[in-house]
Amino acid sequence: MQLYTLLTQTLCIMYFDMDIIKINDPDAPEIRAYSRLTEAQLRNRLEPEKGIFIAESPKVINTALDCGMTPLSFLCSEKKIDSPARAVIERCGNVPVYTAEDDLLETISGFRLTRGVLCAMRRPAPLSPEEVCNGARRLAVLENIVDATNVGAIFRSAAALGIDGVVLTPTCSDPYIRRTVRVSM
């Protein structure tokens, strides 16, 4: 079995021409963003330029890439590495790809990766309200919406209605929480 795993890893590295790293330890420091950091720690209010968010699924990751987000690493199921995740991984060049068996991925992330891939991405600098309003004809203003799913659903609805921008008060749920981003798609 070990020879098969080694051969598979070698083929993946050659096939993708990127760094695919097999993870066997759920506490490995290189996957901290996926396993041990809270949403508040990912956001990093003290040093916002170091903040990250987690994008889940090839569709969400591709959308974030289309918006200019910077990928930092991937966490991908071994079974899904040659599926729709392949195209998004190839699109990112030399970004490290950490892979593991599905049971270990569930231990790391705390949930079953049904889409098979997560991507840690650099959090964009927040826009000021003036920047959001500049040139906008219609805006949605969210105040005190603390449920991440509701914020994502409002973003999706705003896009469907042709809203030009969304302004969130500081008391709203973080728009880059993994659940918010998934629901907004």
Side-chain angles (χ1 to χ4, degrees), residues 119-184:
C119 182
M121 303 190 105
R122 178 73 51 216
R123 186 178 281 266
L127 298 175
S128 70
E130 293 79 19
E131 290 171 306
V132 175
C133 295
N134 188 23
R137 293 180 310 118
R138 295 186 302 166
L139 294 170
V141 178
L142 307 186
E143 181 178 13
N144 300 332
I145 310 290
V146 295
D147 184 271
T149 303
N150 288 344
V151 172
I154 293 168
F155 271 57
R156 188 179 62 238
S157 298
L161 294 170
I163 299 296
D164 297 315
V166 180
V167 177
L168 286 81
T169 62
T171 55
C172 280
S173 176
D174 178 6
Y176 288 101
I177 289 177
R178 181 187 57 83
R179 181 78 181 141
T180 303
V181 174
R182 276 279 299 128
V183 171
S184 72

Side-chain angles (χ1 to χ4, degrees), residues 60-78:
V60 173
I61 297 166
N62 272 319
T63 301
L65 292 170
D66 290 345
C67 292
M69 305 294 171
T70 304
L72 302 173
S73 68
F74 288 95
L75 182 64
C76 188
S77 165
E78 287 181 333

Side-chain angles (χ1 to χ4, degrees), residues 82-153:
D82 199 26
S83 69
R86 176 179 146 201
V88 74
I89 291 169
E90 286 178 338
R91 181 176 174 189
C92 293
N94 270 348
V95 174
V97 178
Y98 302 104
T99 187
E101 297 285 335
D102 288 344
D103 291 340
L104 183 56
L105 287 177
E106 188 170 353
T107 299
I108 291 167
S109 67
F111 58 93
R112 178 133 325 254
L113 289 180
T114 56
R115 307 273 189 287
V117 63
L118 298 175
C119 182
M121 303 190 105
R122 178 73 51 216
R123 186 178 281 266
L127 298 175
S128 70
E130 293 79 19
E131 290 171 306
V132 175
C133 295
N134 188 23
R137 293 180 310 118
R138 295 186 302 166
L139 294 170
V141 178
L142 307 186
E143 181 178 13
N144 300 332
I145 310 290
V146 295
D147 184 271
T149 303
N150 288 344
V151 172

